[in-house]
Amino acid sequence: MAIVVSGIRPTGNLHLGNYFGALQSFVKMQEENQCFFFIADYHSLTTHPTPADLHGNVKTVLVEFLACGLDPEKATLYIQSDLPQTAELYLLLNMNAYIGELERCTSFKEKIRTQPQNVNAGLLTYPTLMAADIIIHKAHQVPVGKDQEQHLEMTRTFANRFNRMYNIDFFPEPVAYNFGENLVKIPGLDGNLKMSKSDNESSAIFLADSPEIIRKKVMKAVTDSGPANPDQPRSQGVENLFTLLSYFSFPETAAFFENQYNTGSIRYGDMKKQLAEDIIRFTTPFREKMMALSADEGYLKKVALMGAEKAQASAGKTLQEVREIIGFKPF
Ligand code: ADP
Ligand code: TRP
């Protein structure tokens, strides 16, 4: 059974893209692997959230992950700051992380550009903290998107450096989790190929969106002036709507609008109305679960506590061994 670790930034709500591109796979992953999923609240301090925002964001992620089907009994679901062992391993790894390699990191250079007023040491050492998150559980696999591949490469560097330095085969080399061919890409409502919160928030439909908001967003989705010639390629906006229909509507519905498009009789407004209702049918059970979980502070507390205990058992063992290897010996 492989050990899998993934960290989730506590930055707002899950959209349909996140669900199909990540959460759905996490839910399957927890069946076959020993999974550690944590909410990366230490990491989020690099942007200085207020205490109220920090707590609210962590709660949102916890609630949404549970609503999507992460099972705190099967996986270890925890909050990063509940695992102080990570902070200690981060300190130790920083002793062997070189300023030059950290400065060359793409995400650091990007931050220098986008937040020049707040280039803190936490940003510079973001990759060592991420490496600590991963190797504290001696992970084998990490489900990461393209933007995190360089961080994972640095994790391998730090893990191997430790092994070499102490001449011991201690940390496994973590590799990217292979999602396989079945990852679905959800297109945006703005005509972009990918629904994305960071690129354009209005292109995204969130699992927590109310039916009214979903209707509004879908009705505003980008289209074109209609099928002048149905044999010509469709505009990206319209193509996206058809893709969304194929995911969220019944096959007969999708076929009905395909046919209308091909005969030139389509009214995009009608198609959007139908699509909105079908998306609402899909998101409603998630939204209801989120509302129930959100109100159940007792259960959330229980989940967080159980996660912290399980994570500490795994991390405590690693750290104790690391301390011995380094030469911290009890008298
Ligand atoms: P965003 O910036 O839109 O919140 P992220 O880039 O943080 O999204 O992605 C978080 C996870 O969700 C990643 O695993 C990513 O691959 C997945 N994801 C994001 N958008 C989509 C999408 N439109 N379709 C499929 N997967 C997506
Ligand atoms: N850096 C990741 C991101 O921005 C979040 C993260 C932190 C992470 N620690 C991790 C992901 C460990 C995987 C493993 O999305």
Side-chain angles (χ1 to χ4, degrees):
M1 197 146 88
I3 300 176
V4 178
V5 171
S6 187
I8 299 98
R9 274 172 288 142
T11 49
N13 303 85
L14 291 172
H15 56 68
L16 294 173
N18 301 139
Y19 179 75
F20 284 98
L23 265 295
Q24 218 183 23
S25 309
F26 287 5
V27 171
K28 284 198 207 119
M29 225 177 268
Q30 69 185 354
E31 302 295 334
E32 292 141 27
N33 303 281
Q34 188 184 352
C35 290
F36 293 87
F37 298 117
F38 67 92
I39 303 172
D41 58 349
Y42 279 149
H43 274 105
S44 70
L45 295 184
T46 55
T47 54
H48 302 171
T50 65
D53 283 348
L54 181 60
H55 182 73
N57 292 342
V58 169
K59 181 177 173 187
T60 299
V61 174
L62 185 60
V63 162
E64 298 205 347
F65 272 56
L66 290 168
C68 286
L70 284 196
D71 183 342
E73 303 278 345
K74 290 181 183 152
T76 299
L77 188 56
Y78 68 100
I79 295 153
Q80 188 183 30
S81 62
D82 282 342
L83 194 64
Q85 286 89 346
T86 303
E88 186 174 341
L89 184 58
Y90 164 63
L91 180 152
L92 300 173
L93 291 178
N94 269 331
M95 301 301 171
N96 303 314
Y98 297 102
I99 294 280
E101 64 190 338
L102 294 171
E103 279 175 344
R104 277 194 299 278
C105 183
T106 315
S107 62
F108 180 64
K109 290 195 222 156
E110 176 74 12
K111 290 290 180 187
I112 294 182
R113 217 171 46 77
T114 55
Q115 54 177 73
Q117 76 295 355
N118 179 20
V119 184
N120 57 66
L123 284 176
L124 182 69
T125 56
Y126 188 104
T128 34
L129 181 53
M130 179 156 160
D133 292 327
I134 295 169
I135 68 177
I136 193 97
H137 301 299
K138 295 186 156 190
H140 304 111
Q141 292 172 28
V142 185
V144 284
K146 272 249 162 299
D147 63 325
Q148 298 298 316
E149 272 169 11
Q150 192 183 27
H151 292 151
L152 186 56
E153 182 62 45
M154 293 175 83
T155 302
R156 283 193 283 271
T157 302
F158 298 140
N160 286 331
R161 190 173 291 160
F162 181 93
N163 290 349
R164 229 177 9 246
M165 192 154 173
Y166 296 103
N167 196 20
I168 184 169
D169 190 13
F170 185 69
F171 288 119
E173 220 184 52
V175 297
Y177 178 91
N178 185 358
F179 285 101
E181 297 303 305
N182 41 15
L183 262 198
V184 162
K185 189 154 86 186
I186 302 293
L189 296 175
D190 57 353
N192 271 314
L193 285 174
K194 203 171 161 210
M195 180 176 284
S196 166
K197 175 171 73 226
S198 15
D199 293 350
N200 175 9
E201 185 146 341
S202 63
S203 88
I205 290 177
F206 297 94
L207 292 176
D209 279 347
S210 67
E212 300 77 66
I213 299 224
I214 294 178
R215 287 188 193 107
K216 256 194 210 137
K217 285 183 177 174
V218 175
M219 293 317 285
K220 278 201 205 138
V222 171
T223 53
D224 54 30
S225 57
N229 174 1
D231 296 333
Q232 297 259 309
R234 293 197 273 240
S235 69
Q236 194 58 51
V238 172
E239 188 61 38
N240 287 357
L241 290 182
F242 275 105
T243 307
L244 290 169
L245 274 185
S246 76
Y247 293 138
F248 297 101
S249 303
F250 294 115
E252 309 84 79
T253 310
F256 173 81
F257 287 109
E258 281 284 352
N259 185 47
Q260 284 208 328
Y261 186 92
N262 291 333
T263 55
S265 62
I266 193 157
R267 294 220 311 246
Y268 291 142
D270 294 344
M271 178 161 87
K272 287 174 167 179
K273 266 193 202 132
Q274 182 62 45
L275 176 62
E277 296 314 310
D278 291 335
I279 292 178
I280 292 166
R281 183 162 38 80
F282 177 82
T283 57
T284 296
F286 290 97
R287 192 162 156 265
E288 285 173 354
K289 259 187 234 157
M290 286 173 200
M291 289 194 287
L293 282 163
S294 208
D296 195 347
E297 295 282 345
Y299 178 68
L300 296 180
K301 195 174 170 146
K302 206 176 104 191
V303 168
L305 203 66
M306 181 165 69
E309 275 171 11
K310 288 203 277 176
Q312 280 169 19
S314 156
K317 183 167 180 293
T318 307
L319 199 61
Q320 195 187 345
E321 290 170 338
V322 164
R323 291 179 63 102
E324 272 171 37
I325 293 167
I326 290 181
F328 293 124
K329 292 229 158 82
F331 282 98

